[in-house]
Amino acid sequence: MKRRILQGCSVLTLCIAAAAPVHAGWEKTQWGMSPDEAVSAVEGADKHVPASNEVYQDPRSGTSLTPLVKSSGQIEGISGEISLLFDADETLRSVLFNPADLGECKALKAALNDRYGAVEPLETGSISISDWVDGTDSVKLTSVEGTFCNLSYSE
């Protein structure tokens, strides 16, 4: 009987581990990868030469983050553009996802609530920000009704 329970727990643990996202949010990326490593890890990814208006400031650290790798793909079954953001040392620090169809933002939020647990978003007017924690990773969905939808993963 104990053996059967232990086998059941082992199978359940494997199923949960297989369903859990990789630390950078999908595929085989890991925080700290170089752009070359990220291109090799993400199917269909290419190096990207960003315009000056594509450089982001990390509000927590004040560090500049630049999208040096981009790809098209799906997160939670929703298609869109994936940007891998690197710091000045060209190490992967964040992943941004913008759905191709802004109308999918509500479905994306519902899928994230299913995966990470329901959260009460911070809302003001048409702006909504939802935050989740996945281990040591931060997951944030920011939307402006019908005009903007951005999902970010960071360490």
Side-chain angles (χ1 to χ4, degrees):
M1 180 70 165
K2 282 185 182 181
R3 182 180 171 137
R4 205 179 268 181
I5 291 172
L6 288 175
Q7 286 175 332
C9 289
S10 296
V11 169
L12 181 61
T13 300
L14 287 173
C15 290
I16 290 170
V22 176
H23 286 292
W26 83 102
E27 301 221 7
K28 298 174 185 170
T29 61
Q30 297 293 320
W31 303 126
M33 279 185 157
S34 71
D36 287 335
E37 290 171 324
V39 166
S40 294
V42 179
E43 186 177 331
D46 291 311
K47 285 190 175 181
H48 174 71
V49 178
S52 60
N53 66 345
E54 291 182 284
V55 177
Y56 302 88
Q57 292 295 324
D58 182 338
R60 296 173 297 156
S61 67
T63 304
S64 292
L65 298 175
T66 308
L68 299 178
V69 175
K70 287 198 172 193
S71 179
S72 294
Q74 290 190 345
I75 292 182
E76 300 296 342
I78 298 183
S79 298
E81 181 181 68
I82 300 165
S83 300
L84 285 75
L85 303 180
F86 296 81
D87 63 16
D89 294 328
E90 293 194 355
T91 57
L92 180 61
R93 294 292 174 222
S94 185
V95 175
L96 295 181
F97 175 73
N98 295 95
D101 177 359
L102 291 175
E104 294 280 12
C105 201
K106 288 181 182 176
L108 180 58
K109 181 179 177 184
L112 293 167
N113 276 331
D114 287 347
R115 178 175 297 279
Y116 301 114
V119 296
E120 191 65 37
L122 172 64
E123 294 180 322
T124 178
S126 61
I127 300 171
S128 176
I129 302 171
S130 298
D131 288 296
W132 297 269
V133 175
D134 181 31
T136 60
D137 295 341
S138 171
V139 181
K140 179 184 293 283
L141 180 65
T142 305
S143 65
V144 179
E145 189 74 30
T147 60
F148 180 81
C149 183
N150 177 278
L151 174 61
S152 66
Y153 295 89
S154 58
E155 64 179 330

